[in-house]
Amino acid sequence: MSNCILNTVAQQSLYESAAKPWRLSIAPMLDVSDRHARFFYRLLAPKALLYTEMVTTGALVYGDVARHLQFNQEEHPVALQLGGSERKDLVHSAKLGAAWSYDEINLNCGCPSERVQKGAFGACLMAESELVADCLKAMQDAVSIPVTVKHRLGLDYSEDYGFVRDFVGTLIQKSATRVFIVHARNAVLKGLSPKDNRDIPPLRYQWVAQLKQDFPEARFILNGGLSEVAQMFEQAQRFEGIMVGRAAWHEPYRIGEISRLLWPDIDHPDTDSLIQSMYDYAVRQHAAGVPLRFVFKPILGLFNGQKGAKLWRRTLSDASLLKKADPNLLLKTYAEFKKHSSFFAQT
């Protein structure tokens, strides 16, 4: 039996033993998905798979490894997303991720930013499927945890389904990759900002469904445009899982709502317990020298759309209050919020 087939069997075994970890994933978001945000998302969704923000191989080869890879043990299962295109550097970085006890390594083939393009990785890698397959196989040979890929449907304004079909087909044929997280839009490499790339290229869920049909041996996780809980739940039944991004950042309470629908038999914290856990975490982080603004940042949108939400956001982001470095600010703000809103009674 060839090494490629053996590797594929081994990776498939890892996927099968992982108890559907991709049913709900929280996306890798630059400047958002740090370890404090991931701790918060874990409270909201006890079974979700959490992704780091993209970490470039250069940051791990030449930078402070601990700063980039440190995470809270409560975050498990947690995946490390890598950005890079040099085989040797990706292997080195994947080995570091495994040594730091990450549960999965994910290769970014979807980011459209110009900074990433200058490094010859991200979405532009979709034009080099042979290189991507080689890098994925090398990482799969080097580590004993799942190695997955996140990608778009195509580049610029192409409307050719065959492009993404051939990209996925090459990776399946020449590596052990069997989990594909698909942002169901094209990546426009010139003329659109990363923000615009999340909204302007049209969504094509039907193309992801076609990939699922064309490659029944693989798992396809849907990403892109998932903002309403009913929509999330519907698509989670259609695919092997969903990945939620900006909704987790702007309206994080939706993560708790979809988690309750997907896992109705497990305990989820009520709002009082959630705030108490974040307070306890803030105390620990403050004692470790972490500024409270980093701890409070992920929870600013927790009550968006509710009466009193503006007070909540304004108080917990007030520089003069944060300068006092008192974790009790969270409890005091929550007590004041409850005077203005009935949200806590709804959870």
Side-chain angles (χ1 to χ4, degrees):
M1 189 178 291
S2 70
N3 287 338
C4 185
I5 294 175
L6 286 171
N7 197 337
T8 300
V9 171
Q11 285 282 315
Q12 188 65 28
S13 177
L14 289 170
Y15 300 148
E16 293 300 331
S17 66
K20 297 184 178 180
W22 300 279
R23 193 177 188 192
L24 172 63
S25 302
I26 309 302
M29 294 175 279
L30 283 173
D31 300 321
V32 172
S33 302
D34 62 17
R35 61 190 178 93
H36 310 301
R38 297 193 304 267
F39 180 88
F40 174 51
Y41 296 147
R42 171 59 65 231
L43 295 174
L44 291 168
K47 292 284 190 178
L49 175 59
L50 309 177
Y51 283 75
T52 68
E53 55 189 325
M54 182 183 67
V55 179
T56 65
T57 55
L60 297 179
V61 173
Y62 304 109
D64 185 339
V65 171
R67 183 172 73 85
H68 290 293
L69 296 188
Q70 179 184 9
F71 66 93
N72 307 287
Q73 289 304 307
E74 296 92 337
E75 294 174 39
H76 284 295
V78 58
L80 170 64
Q81 188 186 69
L82 295 175
S85 59
E86 293 292 333
R87 186 177 187 270
K88 179 180 69 173
D89 291 347
L90 282 167
V91 167
H92 174 76
S93 299
K95 287 181 176 179
L96 284 175
W100 276 76
S101 299
Y102 280 89
D103 299 291
E104 173 188 325
I105 304 297
N106 178 263
L107 179 62
N108 184 319
C109 292
C111 182
S113 79
E114 290 188 6
R115 178 171 66 86
V116 167
Q117 291 175 56
K118 289 177 182 178
F121 58 93
C124 61
L125 279 178
M126 289 194 69
E128 301 185 60
S129 59
E130 298 279 348
L131 171 62
V132 173
D134 182 60
C135 289
L136 287 167
K137 183 179 184 303
M139 288 190 285
Q140 289 157 352
D141 287 340
V143 301
S144 59
I145 56 177
V147 177
T148 66
V149 63
K150 186 173 188 292
H151 61 91
R152 295 268 183 145
L153 291 179
L155 300 177
D156 297 317
Y157 297 97
S158 170
E159 297 187 5
D160 177 18
Y161 167 74
F163 176 81
V164 68
R165 179 201 60 211
D166 292 347
F167 176 79
V168 169
T170 298
L171 302 195
I172 287 179
Q173 179 183 8
K174 299 192 174 183
S175 77
T177 307
R178 293 297 180 270
V179 173
F180 297 83
I181 302 162
V182 188
H183 187 150
R185 304 179 193 269
N186 279 17
V188 179
L189 301 182
K190 299 294 181 183
L192 289 184
S193 67
K195 180 180 183 300
D196 289 339
N197 261 286
R198 294 193 295 268
D199 300 314
I200 293 178
L203 286 164
R204 293 189 175 101
Y205 291 173
Q206 69 274 21
W207 282 20
V208 188
Q210 186 63 48
L211 288 171
K212 177 178 167 64
Q213 181 176 327
D214 290 345
F215 301 100
E217 69 273 40
R219 297 182 181 185
F220 292 94
I221 315 305
L222 183 70
N223 174 231
L226 298 170
S227 58
E228 300 297 328
V229 174
Q231 174 199 29
M232 295 176 194
F233 186 73
E234 176 187 359
Q235 298 302 334
Q237 315 313 309
R238 187 181 185 191
F239 298 96
E240 282 76 19
I242 57 171
M243 174 177 277
V244 179
R246 296 293 150 174
W249 174 239
H250 296 298
E251 298 175 313
Y253 60 88
R254 295 187 188 275
I255 300 307
E257 292 175 358
I258 184 59
S259 180
R260 284 180 169 87
L261 287 175
L262 294 175
W263 291 283
D265 297 330
I266 67 170
D267 291 333
H268 289 77
D270 60 24
T271 309
D272 286 350
S273 299
L274 178 70
I275 298 301
Q276 183 63 47
S277 294
M278 284 305 298
Y279 166 74
D280 294 341
Y281 179 72
V283 169
R284 296 196 300 272
Q285 294 301 308
H286 172 61
V290 176
L292 289 178
R293 69 179 183 275
F294 295 127
V295 179
F296 292 165
K297 180 182 174 183
I299 66 176
L300 294 179
L302 180 58
F303 300 114
N304 280 352
Q306 303 295 319
K307 185 178 179 182
K310 185 176 181 180
L311 167 70
W312 172 263
R313 293 192 304 270
R314 185 179 64 241
T315 305
L316 292 182
S317 61
D318 187 307
S320 62
L321 295 175
L322 291 171
K323 189 176 181 179
K324 297 177 181 178
D326 181 5
N328 282 294
L329 175 64
L330 178 58
L331 297 183
K332 293 176 182 177
T333 305
Y334 181 55
E336 188 64 25
F337 169 79
K338 289 206 292 185
K339 295 178 183 179
H340 299 275
S341 174
S342 60
F343 180 87
F344 71 94
Q346 303 168 13
T347 57

